[in-house]
Amino acid sequence: MVRSDEEPMPTGRATGGMGPARFRERFMQGEPVEAGVRTSILQSWQRCRSLGLSPDQSDLPFRADFDPDGRIVRAALPVLDRLQSRFAGSEMNISVADASGTVLLRRFGTASLARRLPAIQRVPGFVFAEQFAGTNGIGLALAERRLIRVYGAEHFAERSQGSACRALPVRDPLSGRIEGVLCFGYPRSAERPWLDTVIRKAAEAIERRLLAQSSARERALLQAYRDLGAPAGDGVHDGVGVDEVALELGPVDRAILMEKAAELIAHAQRAAVEVALLDGRRVTLVSHPTTSASGVEGIAIEAVLPGTSPRKPLVVPRRVDQPLGVPSGLAVGPAGPAVALPSPAAGPAVAPAEPAVGPGGRADAPPAPAVAPSTDASAPGPHPAAAPGRAAAGGEDAPAAGTGDTTEGRPGSQVVARGLVLVGEPHVGTYALAARRRLELLSEASARIGTTLDVRRTAQELAETAVPRLADFVTIDLPDAVLRGEQPADPRGDLRRTVVHGIRDDCPFSPVGKQVDHGPTAPQLRCLTSGQAVLEPDLKAAAGWLAQDAEHSERLLGHVHSLIAVPLVARGVVLGVASLYRARDPDPFGDDDLSLARELATRAALSIDNARRYTRERAMVLALQHNLLPHGLPDQDAVEVAHRYLPAESDVGGDWYDVIPLSGTRIGLFVGDVVGHGMLSAATMGRLRTAARSFAELDFPPDEVLIHLDNLVGRLDREGPAADGTDIIGATCLYAIYDPTTQQCTMARAGHAPPALVRPDGTVSFPDLPAGPPLGLGGLPFETAEVPLPEGSQLVLYTDGLIEDRHRDVDVVLEQLRETLAHPERTPEETCQAVLDAVAPAHPCDDIALLVARTHALDPDRIATWDLPADPALVSEIRASATERLADWGLDEAAFAAELMLSELVTNAIRHGAGPIRVRLLHDRTLICEVSDTSNTAPHLRRAASTDEGGRGLFLVAQLAQSWGTRYTSEGRVIWAECGLDAM
């Protein structure tokens, strides 16, 4: 079953070993009880056990000093009389207890029921708080601060096993504080669902009567103010209040006046203060202490509304007279400190202090509006809008506004209207002021919490918002899974202290980073288990909190005295717990603080969950990006390479780099940037890098590689899921091929930043390469440029994240890069680090890919070249020359394979090629044989049949070589074959 409080109630008999009785018996025997018992009941049992209570305990404290005529008693008496009449003849007993659990009133459906009850339940004065009576309706309602039902064996005490009860806190509507508890007790067999409705309506009736008591006091104050302002025999004087000039002031100006009036009431002093309106005018608010005939003391706030310029007079619809009690010396000065008004009755004038909203400036008093007289139509006598109001100018009688007489002829004089704004008791103004402070705090929280997508920073922002205006100390514990961006499986375990923040640093909380283990009866664990905020107004009485770690708790009690534990719940997932503490002062947390903490935690939890989800997605994209980037550098001798990849601080993009060994000891260097951020950009980067490597390994020149990549990006755009063009794919790229045999570098770029070239003498330049369009535009050509790179030069390739930043000028950054690179003695690794330290932005908003390559030259003694005409008779001479050169290099073991490959390649060039033929041998990590001619045809490997006389040349080359292929130049083609030297 699930009741209206959304807590499942186990069904079954209360005895016979089933249902609550069985679970209670297991609990009393010390066995674990996980399911089958409602969370609130189980937590109450645990607290009772930690308090050392006995189920058969019958003695309860009795208070003889309770007030039999208190506010809650006077408000509840008529309601209980009606309930007694309704339940007449039944076995219902009705109780009203105060906020400490002391029973103040008892009513019974039948007189005989009282005689059958234990003595402790018959008369008022006995305390049914949980720490004395165990689990029961009154005690649990005070602990949980909501409607509670307790059935049979769910009671802790043996004497209550045959009963059921409902209990609901009764609150003061003005302050929001719990004034008492209304409780229905009845046999288990008398359980009825409609009892929820009855007890709620009865509690609402008591609360309305509590409000009526406060309203009567305010009305008495208003009458006292009116009586004070009416001279004997003069009758009731017309006046002007703020409501009567609402159109003149406007809603914003009225709100400003009402807020300041509430502050003055909270000060409880005789004073005056000027308030600046939006149009530049100033209104003086004057506070007058007043006392009703019944002895109620309060404050009346009057507004003095000065006249405006002749072009825009203040419209006052009624006659105004000499102001009451305002000294002739009252001046309208600049806005700022309040002006004290002397009063013979009040003694020396005292200027009001700053608004008192609780220790540390907290907005911790409950909300309630001060009474506006213009809306109190039920007040005796004339309508409050007709309260006395008079005009004065410099202490002299002034003509009434609207009478046709003016004061324009008198320099310095002005028309003044005066009227009542608010009247109320000081604590009422405190409630209203605190309510405004809470609204301000919530508004500030909306702006301060969630400014970043970092889990730890968001939690820190929650703590900084709550301290000191709500709490003195805040600790926040989050599971490790949340900090990693994952969804926690069990938020009660694996908690780690994430934030400790307070007004001082000497509070002995567990430090940040330490794993915390809250005990089974700790408020934090109860909060995480139930998903509800837990309030402990007095930690000394919180046995569960003390039991978790007695030594640590005792040290902490020297600094704090009140606690709110609130869960961080977002989208149905509990992400952690925030603990708010107040230091030792007479102002413990209340229900309004609990509501405010719950609201702050809800807002912060959504931001933390957003940050958690972002952390998870960013980790996934980073993992994808890392897996798609090169994990190592190829073994080669053409260049010495170092690289860096730095992801953006807020997101991950599609920057990439690559180093690709090419034929003829050449090396290909790539750097590119895919437009956008996120998973799509990272995935596109992987596809683009794979394609670029494939095109490069086909030995295409740089401009042709870019053409193929441009076609690929255009095709990805057309085939992508966003057919409406909202996610258009684009990219930039730079491709450079360095040849160590000629020390020339051929480069082409597609919308990418040009590289930096560091000469061996330290000269830094940025070659003026043809820009070319970004990849994906299609139909536009790309051009190459050839740049000489002497041995020892450094080629620096980078993406725009290094130099482009909205807070910096690109030219200035390029100059910084030039200065940083002007150190040719640095290794590529040192250059990479120096560039990131000096040039990269502190908080990069875009990815940065950096590639530094220091060039090497192939020793000319390791290069052998022969030019020969297309004459088959010269093949034997080439074989002999090659064998001789291989012997000089100490590669006699490779001579046989090299002779066969050269013979087949030269013969193939003579038969199928054209023009002069060039043969070249390169001795690097491997032995490379190259034969070039002016033909543009592509050789094809085929398997010759047993009856074929030819067609086996390339097949033989493929078998002997480690790899082979063809590349095309502006003069023709080069067929090459590479032999490994390790096995020879």
Side-chain angles (χ1 to χ4, degrees), residues 553-602:
S553 300
E554 286 295 336
R555 286 189 290 114
L556 202 56
L557 279 177
H559 297 78
V560 298
H561 75 98
S562 189
L563 164 69
I564 292 177
V566 57
L568 301 172
V569 183
R571 302 178 178 92
V573 178
V574 180
L575 303 174
V577 60
S579 302
L580 289 74
Y581 298 88
R582 276 198 182 161
R584 298 192 59 83
D585 60 36
D587 186 22
F589 283 121
D591 290 298
D592 294 304
D593 302 310
L594 184 67
S595 300
L596 180 57
R598 192 183 296 123
E599 180 67 23
L600 286 175
T602 299

Side-chain angles (χ1 to χ4, degrees), residues 633-641 661-667 740-741 856-859 862-863 889 891 894 921-929 962-963 977-984:
L633 296 176
D635 294 331
Q636 46 80 36
D637 295 327
V639 291
E640 180 186 353
V641 181
L662 302 176
S663 63
T665 69
R666 299 172 306 144
I667 196 74
T741 64
H856 297 291
L858 186 62
D859 189 344
R862 287 174 171 257
I863 304 174
W889 290 341
L891 301 178
L921 291 180
L922 303 176
H923 179 202
D924 193 35
R925 291 174 179 261
T926 59
L927 177 63
I928 302 173
C929 303
Q962 180 176 292
S963 60
E978 184 175 345
C979 294
L981 301 179
D982 295 338
M984 295 183 180

Side-chain angles (χ1 to χ4, degrees), residues 694-779:
S694 300
F695 296 143
E697 289 178 344
L698 290 174
D699 271 327
F700 291 142
D703 55 340
E704 292 190 27
V705 170
L706 295 183
I707 290 174
H708 289 295
L709 292 178
D710 181 57
N711 294 333
L712 172 64
V713 173
R715 186 164 60 253
L716 292 177
D717 252 342
R718 293 189 297 271
E719 298 173 354
D724 57 355
T726 55
D727 290 325
I728 296 177
I729 299 173
T732 65
C733 183
L734 187 149
Y735 180 36
I737 298 177
Y738 171 70
D739 189 344
T741 64
T742 62
Q743 300 181 38
Q744 295 289 321
C745 184
T746 305
M747 294 181 279
R749 63 188 179 115
H752 202 85
L757 176 58
V758 184
R759 303 282 181 180
D761 60 358
T763 303
V764 181
S765 62
F766 298 93
D768 187 15
L769 306 180
L775 301 176
L777 296 183

Side-chain angles (χ1 to χ4, degrees), residues 74 116 134 141 143 168 176 206 221 269 312 339 371 434 551 652 694 719 818 859 865:
R74 286 184 277 113
R116 295 199 306 268
L168 179 64
I206 298 174
L221 287 173
Q269 294 177 340
K312 187 180 179 183
V339 180
V371 175
E551 182 180 355
V652 180
S694 300
E719 298 173 354
R818 186 192 304 272
D859 189 344
T865 306

Side-chain angles (χ1 to χ4, degrees), residues 669-671 734-736 752 755-756 795-799 849-852:
L669 304 175
F670 268 111
V671 67
L734 187 149
Y735 180 36
H752 202 85
L795 188 64
V796 182
L797 285 69
Y798 52 88
T799 55
L850 178 64
L851 188 66
V852 178

Side-chain angles (χ1 to χ4, degrees), residues 229-231 234 237-240 320-324 388-392 416-419:
D234 195 23
H237 288 253
D238 292 335
V240 57
V320 292
D321 302 313
Q322 177 67 27
L324 171 68
R390 300 168 175 83
V416 178
R418 187 183 188 89

Side-chain angles (χ1 to χ4, degrees), residues 577-875:
V577 60
S579 302
L580 289 74
Y581 298 88
R582 276 198 182 161
R584 298 192 59 83
D585 60 36
D587 186 22
F589 283 121
D591 290 298
D592 294 304
D593 302 310
L594 184 67
S595 300
L596 180 57
R598 192 183 296 123
E599 180 67 23
L600 286 175
T602 299
R603 299 188 183 199
L606 287 174
S607 297
I608 289 175
D609 192 50
N610 290 337
R612 178 190 67 82
R613 290 167 176 257
Y614 168 77
T615 301
R616 180 189 61 188
E617 293 178 4
R618 187 172 189 269
M620 293 171 58
V621 176
L622 274 175
L624 176 63
Q625 180 89 333
H626 176 73
N627 289 331
L628 294 177
L629 287 173
H631 290 177
L633 296 176
D635 294 331
Q636 46 80 36
D637 295 327
V639 291
E640 180 186 353
V641 181
H643 56 84
R644 293 287 189 278
Y645 171 74
L646 186 65
E649 191 173 70
S650 59
D651 210 341
V652 180
D655 290 17
W656 57 283
Y657 60 88
D658 210 346
V659 178
I660 306 171
L662 302 176
S663 63
T665 69
R666 299 172 306 144
I667 196 74
L669 304 175
F670 268 111
V671 67
D673 183 5
V674 176
V675 175
H677 297 84
M679 188 72 74
L680 177 62
S681 296
T684 303
M685 178 274 293
R687 301 170 71 177
L688 200 60
R689 174 178 171 256
T690 301
R693 173 174 281 272
S694 300
F695 296 143
E697 289 178 344
L698 290 174
D699 271 327
F700 291 142
D703 55 340
E704 292 190 27
V705 170
L706 295 183
I707 290 174
H708 289 295
L709 292 178
D710 181 57
N711 294 333
L712 172 64
V713 173
R715 186 164 60 253
L716 292 177
D717 252 342
R718 293 189 297 271
E719 298 173 354
D724 57 355
T726 55
D727 290 325
I728 296 177
I729 299 173
T732 65
C733 183
L734 187 149
Y735 180 36
I737 298 177
Y738 171 70
D739 189 344
T741 64
T742 62
Q743 300 181 38
Q744 295 289 321
C745 184
T746 305
M747 294 181 279
R749 63 188 179 115
H752 202 85
L757 176 58
V758 184
R759 303 282 181 180
D761 60 358
T763 303
V764 181
S765 62
F766 298 93
D768 187 15
L769 306 180
L775 301 176
L777 296 183
L780 299 175
F782 298 95
E783 300 180 37
T784 61
E786 195 167 275
V787 178
L789 292 183
E791 185 174 10
S793 301
Q794 286 191 0
L795 188 64
V796 182
L797 285 69
Y798 52 88
T799 55
D800 57 2
L802 178 67
I803 61 173
E804 293 183 6
D805 184 77
R806 61 177 178 269
H807 303 296
R808 304 184 301 172
D809 184 83
V810 174
D811 293 334
V812 174
V813 177
L814 288 176
E815 187 59 33
Q816 291 177 345
L817 179 61
R818 186 192 304 272
E819 294 174 358
T820 304
L821 294 177
H823 295 276
E825 72 282 358
R826 290 175 177 162
T827 65
E829 283 290 340
E830 294 171 344
T831 300
C832 277
Q833 193 59 47
V835 169
L836 291 183
D837 292 342
V839 183
H843 304 283
C845 57
D846 194 7
D847 291 17
I848 296 175
L850 178 64
L851 188 66
V852 178
R854 171 176 284 173
T855 62
H856 297 291
L858 186 62
D859 189 344
D861 292 338
R862 287 174 171 257
I863 304 174
T865 306
W866 299 274
D867 293 320
L868 63 155
D871 185 357
L874 299 177
V875 174

